[in-house]
Amino acid sequence: MTLAIETSQLSRSFGDFRAVDGIDLRVERGTFYGFLGPNGAGKSTTIKMLTGLLAPSNGEMRVLGYNMADRVESIEAKKRLGVIPEDLALFDNLTAREYLTFVGRMYLVPRETIRTRIDELLAILGLEAEEKKLAMEYSHGMKKKLALAAALLSNPDLLFLDEPFEGVDAVTSRVIRDLLAGFVARGSTVFLTSHVLEIVERLCTHVGIIVKGKLVEQSSLEELRQSSSLETRFLEMAGAGLDGEASHKLPWLEGVGR
Amino acid sequence: MNIEHLRAFIWLRWRLFVNQLTRGRTANLIVFGILGVLAIPSIVSLFIGAFVIGYVAMPESDPTVHLLVWDGLALGFLFMWSIGILQELQRSEGMSLSKFLHLPVSVAGVFVLNYFSTLLSLSLVIFVPTMTGLVVGMTLSMDSMYLVALFPILAFFFAVTALTYHFQGWLASMMVNPRRRRTVIVMITLVFVFFAQAPSLIHVIQPWRGALEDLGEKLAKDQKDLDAEFGAGKVTAIQHTEKVQESIRKRTSESNGQGKKLWSQVEEVAWVANLAVPIGWMPLGAAWCAEGNPLPAILATLVLTGIGAASLWRSYRTTLRMYLGEFTAGDSVSNPPPTKSVAPLDPADKVTLIEKQIPGLSEYATVVALVTFRSIIRAPETKMLLLSPIIMLGIFGTMMFRGPMYMPDMVRPLVFVGVMAIALLTAWQLVANQFSLDRAAFRAYVLCPAPRREILLGKNLAVAPIVAVLALPMVALAQIAFPMRIDHLAAFLFQFVSMLAIFAMVANVCSILAPIPMAQGTLKPASTHFLPTVIQLGLFMLHAGFQSVVLLPIGIEILLAHFASIEGWPIALPLSIVECGVLVLIYRWTLGWQGDWLMTREQRILEEVTAKTQ
Ligand SMILES: Nc1ncnc2c1ncn2[C@@H]1O[C@H](COP(=O)(O)OP(=O)(O)OP(=O)(O)O)[C@@H](O)[C@H]1O
Ligand SMILES: [Mg+2]
C-alpha cells in the first residue's frame, strides 16, 4: 500500500522568499495528521501544493501514490481528494444546495445520492435553514461549514483541511470532530492544520511541525508526548522562548492610565 | 481632532495611493508619471483657455447665452461627477468611516476629513479652473461686479458634493447587505444610463427641425417655379434675377423670424428651467452678474450653501445613527423561519436547474455550463452588462427608422453580422476573462478532477444562450426594417454558430493567456497590469479580424452576382452550412489543446485572479 502523502525536498518561493523550504512529509494511510506551525510558517502553502492549487518551485510529491506534477495522475488523485483550501472555493452567486450539487456532479456522484448526502450534510452541520441563501451572504463560520460539506460530499480517501475549526461554533466543532474521527477510523486519511493544540492533541495520531518553511518535527503523537506535552514541544520548536515573561517585555502595558 | 490626526489621515491617503501604484508594474508607474506631468499644464491651459473665452467672446453675448454657457458647464460637471460616483460605488471598499471610528478621534472630525477627501477628484480638477478662468476673464473685460459670480459657483460645488456625499452615505447604509448592495449598484447605473440617453432622444425628436431645415427646401422650390416662368418666356432675364433675389430676401427674413421665435422659446424655457431647479441658480446668478445685478448671485450663494450645509448635517446625523445602531434603512435581513421540511427525496421531485441533464454532453460540461449560466444571470454586475445592449438597441432603432434608407437585398445579411458583432462585443468580457469573474470559484475548478476541455466547453456553452438573447431583439428589429431573403435568414442561423465558435476559440485563448483580476462583485479590474491588458486588447482586435471569415459565403454570392451575373441562387446558404461545420470541427480540435494548456497554466491563473488587492 502506498503512502497517503509523500514529498521530497518540496519547496516554494515567492520571489526571493522561501515560504516552504525542502520538506519531506510522510503520511501513512489511515492516520490523522496534524500539521502545526506558527503564523506564516508555510502550512497553507504546503497544502496548496499538495492539492494542486499551487505549483512547487522544487521537489517532488506523491499524493495517494499519484505524482502531482503529472497531468494525468494529478487528475486521478483529485478524484479521491476532499479539500478545504485556505480561502475556500465557493461561488458567490450560488446557494448552498446549488453549490453542493455542482461539487457532487463534478465528482460524478449520482443525482439521487447527491440529494441524500446534501440533506444529511446540511442537517448535521446546522445549515438547513440557510440553504437558500447565496454563499456571499453567509457568515464566516457558515462558509467554513459549507466548504467542509463540499469536501466530504464525494466521500474522498484523503481530506486536506486548512484550519477547519477556525470560526466554527462549539456545537459544530464537536460534530466535525466526531465526523473526522469516524472517517479516519474507517481507514481514510485526514491532513489538517490548526492553531488549537487541544483539538490536535485530542484528534491526531501523527503530528508535523513546520517553522519558517522547514519541517522541524514529524512523529506520532504518542512518541512526541513521551518526553513532554504537545504544547511544550511546540513552543520549544517554534522558538517562542518567552516562558511567561512576555508581560515583562512591555512594562508600560501595566497599570491603569498613562 | 487635531492637526496630528489631519496629517496622519493625509499620509494614509497618500500611502494607499502610492502602494497601489508601486504594486503594479513599471509600465503603470510610467503611465501615471506622464499623466502627472501632463496634469499641471492642462489645468493651467484650461484656465487660460476659459480666461480668453471669457475675456474676448463672452462680453458681447446676450444674457441667455451666458445662462446657457453656465448651464452647459454645470451639466458637464454633474455628468462627470456622477460617473465618478458610480465608479466609487463599484469599488469594493473605499475609505469607509468604520475603519477609523475605533480610533480616538471624534466622529465629526473623521466625517469632515472624509468629506474633504472626496473632493480630490478629476471632475473638480477640470471644472474649477475652467469656471474660475471664465469668471476672471469676464471680470477683466466687463466689470469688477462680475467677480461676485464666483460665490454662487463655489456654493454650487459645495452643494453638489455635499448632496452626493449625503446620498452615498445613505446608499452605504442600504448596502450593508451584500446582495442588496449589488442590486443598488445596478439600479443606480440604470438610472444613470437612462439619463445619459436623454440627449440622443432629444436628437431624435429634433424640436428645431421644422424651423430651420425648411429654408433650403423653400428656396429650391421658389427657384424652380421662377425658372419655369423664365423658361416659358413670361419674364426677361433681368426680371428673373430680380425675382430670385427677392425670393431669397423674403425666405431668409421669414426663416430669421422663425429662428428668432425659436430662440425666444429657448430663452423662456432656459430661464424657467433654471429657476425651477436650485442647482440652476448658479447659472442664473452668473448670468445676472453679466447684467450688472449681483443680487441673484448672492441669493443663489445663500441658498446653495444652505443646501450643502443641510446635506452635510443630515449626512452626519445618518452616520452617527448608523454607528450607534439606531439606523433602519429598509428592512433588516430577516431570517426565514427554520423550515424542517427538507426537500423530499422523491425522485419525481422537481429537478432544479443545476441538476438538469443536457443530451449529448458529458456530466462535467453540463454542470459547468449550468453553474456558469446561473452565476452570470444572478450576479448583478454581469446582469448589468447584459442590459447594456438596450442602449445599442435605442441607437440602432433610431438609426434605422429615422429616414428611409435604401439597402440592396444582398447587403442586408451584413446588417445581421453587425448585430451579432455587437452582441459578441458585449459578451466578450464574460469569456475572455472567464476565470476572474468569480475569483474563489476558480479554485473549485482547479481542485476538481474534470478534464479541462470539458470545463472550457461548459463555460463556452453557458454564454451561447446569452449571446442569442442579446442578439435577438436587434435581429428582430433589423428583420422588420430590412427583411432578408428567406435563404439568407436560414444562412444566418449557421453564421450565428460560426461566429460563436470563432468567438469562443479566441476568447478562451485570451482567458488562459491574460487573466485580469477583478474586484469582487464588479467588472472592474482590481489592478491594471500592462501586459495582460495589451494582450486582451490585441486579441480582441484579432478576433474582429477572424470574424470576417463569416462574410465569405455572402461575399462569394455578391461577387458571383456582380461578375458572373448569377443572381437569385441561394449560394450563401450551403456555403454557410459548410463553413459552420468546418468551424465547429476546428473548435472541437482547439478545445483539446486549449484544455491541456489550461491545465498547465491553471495554477498561474489562480495566483493571478486571486491576487490580493488592497
Ligand atoms: N502569494 C504569496 N505571495 C507572497 N508571499 C506569500 C504568498 N503566499 C504566502 N506567502 C508567504 O509565505 C509564507 C507562508 O504563508 P502560509 O500562508 O503558508 O502560512 P501559514 O503557515 O498558513 O500561516 P497561518 O497560520 O497564518 O495561516 C508567509 O510568510 C507568507 O507571507
Ligand atoms: Mg494558513
mmCIF file of all heavy atoms in Angstrom, chain B residues 512-531:
data_model
loop_
_atom_site.group_PDB
_atom_site.id
_atom_site.type_symbol
_atom_site.label_atom_id
_atom_site.label_comp_id
_atom_site.label_asym_id
_atom_site.label_seq_id
_atom_site.Cartn_x
_atom_site.Cartn_y
_atom_site.Cartn_z
ATOM 1 N N ILE B 512 -7.006 32.251 -20.932
ATOM 2 C CA ILE B 512 -5.931 31.408 -20.393
ATOM 3 C C ILE B 512 -4.625 32.192 -20.350
ATOM 4 O O ILE B 512 -3.841 32.092 -19.409
ATOM 5 C CB ILE B 512 -5.757 30.149 -21.259
ATOM 6 C CG1 ILE B 512 -7.024 29.298 -21.211
ATOM 7 C CG2 ILE B 512 -4.564 29.334 -20.791
ATOM 8 C CD1 ILE B 512 -7.027 28.141 -22.178
ATOM 9 N N LEU B 513 -4.434 33.018 -21.359
ATOM 10 C CA LEU B 513 -3.153 33.711 -21.506
ATOM 11 C C LEU B 513 -3.067 34.958 -20.636
ATOM 12 O O LEU B 513 -2.026 35.247 -20.055
ATOM 13 C CB LEU B 513 -2.980 34.089 -22.982
ATOM 14 C CG LEU B 513 -1.624 34.602 -23.418
ATOM 15 C CD1 LEU B 513 -0.585 33.532 -23.165
ATOM 16 C CD2 LEU B 513 -1.667 34.975 -24.881
ATOM 17 N N ALA B 514 -4.150 35.697 -20.548
ATOM 18 C CA ALA B 514 -4.047 37.014 -19.915
ATOM 19 C C ALA B 514 -5.203 37.275 -18.960
ATOM 20 O O ALA B 514 -6.009 38.167 -19.183
ATOM 21 C CB ALA B 514 -4.007 38.100 -20.989
ATOM 22 N N PRO B 515 -5.296 36.494 -17.875
ATOM 23 C CA PRO B 515 -6.373 36.763 -16.922
ATOM 24 C C PRO B 515 -6.112 38.081 -16.195
ATOM 25 O O PRO B 515 -4.966 38.391 -15.888
ATOM 26 C CB PRO B 515 -6.295 35.588 -15.949
ATOM 27 C CG PRO B 515 -4.888 35.135 -16.013
ATOM 28 C CD PRO B 515 -4.414 35.405 -17.416
ATOM 29 N N ILE B 516 -7.160 38.843 -15.987
ATOM 30 C CA ILE B 516 -7.025 40.106 -15.255
ATOM 31 C C ILE B 516 -7.885 39.998 -14.002
ATOM 32 O O ILE B 516 -9.082 39.734 -14.103
ATOM 33 C CB ILE B 516 -7.498 41.286 -16.115
ATOM 34 C CG1 ILE B 516 -6.584 41.425 -17.327
ATOM 35 C CG2 ILE B 516 -7.503 42.577 -15.309
ATOM 36 C CD1 ILE B 516 -6.960 42.552 -18.242
ATOM 37 N N PRO B 517 -7.291 40.157 -12.829
ATOM 38 C CA PRO B 517 -8.094 40.020 -11.607
ATOM 39 C C PRO B 517 -9.162 41.099 -11.535
ATOM 40 O O PRO B 517 -8.951 42.232 -11.925
ATOM 41 C CB PRO B 517 -7.070 40.190 -10.486
ATOM 42 C CG PRO B 517 -5.926 40.899 -11.107
ATOM 43 C CD PRO B 517 -5.901 40.503 -12.536
ATOM 44 N N MET B 518 -10.338 40.686 -11.060
ATOM 45 C CA MET B 518 -11.451 41.626 -10.941
ATOM 46 C C MET B 518 -11.706 41.926 -9.468
ATOM 47 O O MET B 518 -11.594 41.032 -8.634
ATOM 48 C CB MET B 518 -12.721 40.983 -11.504
ATOM 49 C CG MET B 518 -12.684 40.762 -12.968
ATOM 50 S SD MET B 518 -12.905 42.321 -13.775
ATOM 51 C CE MET B 518 -12.527 41.868 -15.435
ATOM 52 N N ALA B 519 -12.096 43.141 -9.191
ATOM 53 C CA ALA B 519 -12.518 43.442 -7.823
ATOM 54 C C ALA B 519 -13.791 42.661 -7.549
ATOM 55 O O ALA B 519 -14.658 42.548 -8.413
ATOM 56 C CB ALA B 519 -12.754 44.933 -7.673
ATOM 57 N N GLN B 520 -13.886 42.122 -6.361
ATOM 58 C CA GLN B 520 -15.030 41.269 -6.009
ATOM 59 C C GLN B 520 -16.354 41.965 -6.299
ATOM 60 O O GLN B 520 -16.562 43.113 -5.913
ATOM 61 C CB GLN B 520 -14.958 40.920 -4.521
ATOM 62 C CG GLN B 520 -15.925 39.852 -4.093
ATOM 63 C CD GLN B 520 -15.404 38.457 -4.434
ATOM 64 O OE1 GLN B 520 -14.309 38.103 -4.087
ATOM 65 N NE2 GLN B 520 -16.216 37.692 -5.129
ATOM 66 N N GLY B 521 -17.221 41.266 -6.983
ATOM 67 C CA GLY B 521 -18.550 41.786 -7.221
ATOM 68 C C GLY B 521 -18.634 42.908 -8.240
ATOM 69 O O GLY B 521 -19.608 43.637 -8.285
ATOM 70 N N THR B 522 -17.599 43.078 -9.062
ATOM 71 C CA THR B 522 -17.664 44.129 -10.072
ATOM 72 C C THR B 522 -17.080 43.601 -11.370
ATOM 73 O O THR B 522 -16.558 42.499 -11.414
ATOM 74 C CB THR B 522 -16.822 45.355 -9.689
ATOM 75 O OG1 THR B 522 -15.446 44.997 -9.805
ATOM 76 C CG2 THR B 522 -17.112 45.802 -8.281
ATOM 77 N N LEU B 523 -17.178 44.408 -12.410
ATOM 78 C CA LEU B 523 -16.492 44.071 -13.649
ATOM 79 C C LEU B 523 -15.312 44.996 -13.839
ATOM 80 O O LEU B 523 -14.883 45.255 -14.951
ATOM 81 C CB LEU B 523 -17.455 44.180 -14.828
ATOM 82 C CG LEU B 523 -18.431 43.011 -14.956
ATOM 83 C CD1 LEU B 523 -19.363 43.229 -16.114
ATOM 84 C CD2 LEU B 523 -17.670 41.715 -15.133
ATOM 85 N N LYS B 524 -14.815 45.524 -12.728
ATOM 86 C CA LYS B 524 -13.669 46.431 -12.834
ATOM 87 C C LYS B 524 -12.389 45.672 -12.511
ATOM 88 O O LYS B 524 -12.353 44.902 -11.560
ATOM 89 C CB LYS B 524 -13.821 47.576 -11.836
ATOM 90 C CG LYS B 524 -14.709 48.672 -12.349
ATOM 91 C CD LYS B 524 -14.711 49.826 -11.371
ATOM 92 C CE LYS B 524 -13.322 50.362 -11.185
ATOM 93 N NZ LYS B 524 -13.285 51.550 -10.337
ATOM 94 N N PRO B 525 -11.350 45.907 -13.296
ATOM 95 C CA PRO B 525 -10.074 45.276 -12.965
ATOM 96 C C PRO B 525 -9.628 45.718 -11.574
ATOM 97 O O PRO B 525 -9.723 46.886 -11.233
ATOM 98 C CB PRO B 525 -9.113 45.819 -14.016
ATOM 99 C CG PRO B 525 -9.968 46.335 -15.104
ATOM 100 C CD PRO B 525 -11.261 46.743 -14.492
ATOM 101 N N ALA B 526 -9.167 44.739 -10.782
ATOM 102 C CA ALA B 526 -8.720 45.078 -9.434
ATOM 103 C C ALA B 526 -7.375 45.783 -9.498
ATOM 104 O O ALA B 526 -7.053 46.607 -8.664
ATOM 105 C CB ALA B 526 -8.627 43.823 -8.594
ATOM 106 N N SER B 527 -6.590 45.425 -10.478
ATOM 107 C CA SER B 527 -5.335 46.138 -10.673
ATOM 108 C C SER B 527 -5.035 46.074 -12.160
ATOM 109 O O SER B 527 -5.356 45.102 -12.818
ATOM 110 C CB SER B 527 -4.225 45.475 -9.880
ATOM 111 O OG SER B 527 -4.083 44.143 -10.304
ATOM 112 N N THR B 528 -4.462 47.126 -12.674
ATOM 113 C CA THR B 528 -4.220 47.147 -14.107
ATOM 114 C C THR B 528 -2.775 46.792 -14.380
ATOM 115 O O THR B 528 -1.874 47.529 -13.992
ATOM 116 C CB THR B 528 -4.521 48.534 -14.694
ATOM 117 O OG1 THR B 528 -4.214 49.482 -13.692
ATOM 118 C CG2 THR B 528 -5.943 48.645 -15.114
ATOM 119 N N HIS B 529 -2.584 45.665 -14.995
ATOM 120 C CA HIS B 529 -1.248 45.273 -15.400
ATOM 121 C C HIS B 529 -1.132 45.516 -16.880
ATOM 122 O O HIS B 529 -2.071 45.283 -17.638
ATOM 123 C CB HIS B 529 -0.984 43.823 -15.060
ATOM 124 C CG HIS B 529 -0.902 43.587 -13.586
ATOM 125 N ND1 HIS B 529 -0.113 44.353 -12.768
ATOM 126 C CD2 HIS B 529 -1.515 42.701 -12.783
ATOM 127 C CE1 HIS B 529 -0.237 43.920 -11.524
ATOM 128 N NE2 HIS B 529 -1.102 42.934 -11.504
ATOM 129 N N PHE B 530 0.028 45.961 -17.246
ATOM 130 C CA PHE B 530 0.221 46.422 -18.604
ATOM 131 C C PHE B 530 0.073 45.286 -19.622
ATOM 132 O O PHE B 530 -0.764 45.349 -20.509
ATOM 133 C CB PHE B 530 1.595 47.066 -18.696
ATOM 134 C CG PHE B 530 1.816 47.808 -19.971
ATOM 135 C CD1 PHE B 530 1.054 48.918 -20.273
ATOM 136 C CD2 PHE B 530 2.779 47.375 -20.864
ATOM 137 C CE1 PHE B 530 1.250 49.602 -21.443
ATOM 138 C CE2 PHE B 530 2.979 48.057 -22.037
ATOM 139 C CZ PHE B 530 2.220 49.168 -22.332
ATOM 140 N N LEU B 531 0.862 44.229 -19.418
ATOM 141 C CA LEU B 531 0.923 43.190 -20.438
ATOM 142 C C LEU B 531 -0.427 42.497 -20.679
ATOM 143 O O LEU B 531 -0.876 42.415 -21.825
ATOM 144 C CB LEU B 531 2.013 42.180 -20.062
ATOM 145 C CG LEU B 531 2.472 41.306 -21.218
ATOM 146 C CD1 LEU B 531 3.001 42.172 -22.356
ATOM 147 C CD2 LEU B 531 3.525 40.323 -20.757
#
